[in-house]
Amino acid sequence: MIGRKSKMSLLNKRTLYTMCIRPVMTYACPVFAHAAPIALQDLQVIQNKFCRRATGAQWYVKNSVLHRDLELPTLSKFMKDASERFFSIAINHTNPLISAAASYEAPPENHFLRRPRNALSDLPDDLTAEVEELNKALENLME
């Protein structure tokens, strides 16, 4: 259905991915978004393969260009945004136990403990930074 010979439009392929495939890959992402970047790399590879197959792009087209053209954030950015939404909702929840669990003081930077909320302060990975850089360059060209 998402191959380059498919008669489905690119918009429908993207919708199929964002509605059916990505939710399965990012289920409970506020919990595991703080995992080591190498552990999340396998999920990013799946998204990169989708982008390449859906567009029929050749091997020399950068993944960052595909993400920009399809208007898909990288998985690390998507997970970070989902975590921000989750924690902002949890902090303002009416149940005091839920709001207490979501609000806590972050450990010092040199501390070895990684908690789910720490993913919000992590620096973006290389692909995310490259996509954001391309988006800024495109915005500057449009002005």
Side-chain angles (χ1 to χ4, degrees):
M1 288 177 64
I2 61 169
R4 59 185 170 91
K5 292 184 179 181
S6 172
K7 304 252 189 275
M8 191 182 295
S9 71
L10 190 58
L11 179 64
N12 288 342
K13 290 177 186 179
R14 182 184 179 277
T15 303
L16 179 69
Y17 174 77
T18 57
M19 295 294 137
C20 297
I21 300 169
R22 188 172 62 187
V24 173
M25 291 176 16
T26 58
Y27 178 75
C29 67
V31 176
F32 69 84
H34 73 287
I38 195 72
L40 301 176
Q41 184 64 27
D42 291 340
L43 294 175
Q44 185 61 52
V45 167
I46 293 170
Q47 181 168 322
N48 294 345
K49 285 183 179 181
F50 162 78
C51 292
R52 195 161 300 281
R53 285 189 183 141
T55 59
Q58 298 295 323
W59 60 270
Y60 49 81
V61 179
K62 287 183 165 189
N63 288 327
S64 57
V65 172
L66 295 174
H67 281 81
R68 184 197 65 206
D69 291 348
L70 289 173
E71 297 176 355
L72 283 174
T74 60
L75 277 179
S76 61
K77 174 135 179 59
F78 177 79
M79 289 180 178
K80 187 172 183 177
D81 293 344
S83 295
E84 286 176 357
R85 286 191 306 271
F86 171 78
F87 284 114
S88 68
I89 291 170
I91 287 175
N92 299 324
H93 200 275
T94 56
N95 185 333
L97 295 175
I98 293 174
S99 60
S103 59
Y104 68 91
E105 288 294 321
E109 289 184 23
N110 59 354
H111 197 268
F112 65 91
L113 210 81
R114 298 283 295 160
R115 294 189 67 180
R117 192 168 186 135
N118 293 2
L120 302 180
S121 60
D122 289 345
L123 296 175
D125 63 342
D126 294 338
L127 182 60
T128 303
E130 192 173 341
V131 170
E132 290 174 356
E133 187 177 303
L134 283 173
N135 286 337
K136 287 179 186 176
L138 185 63
E139 288 175 5
N140 290 338
L141 287 175
M142 298 300 254
E143 291 177 354

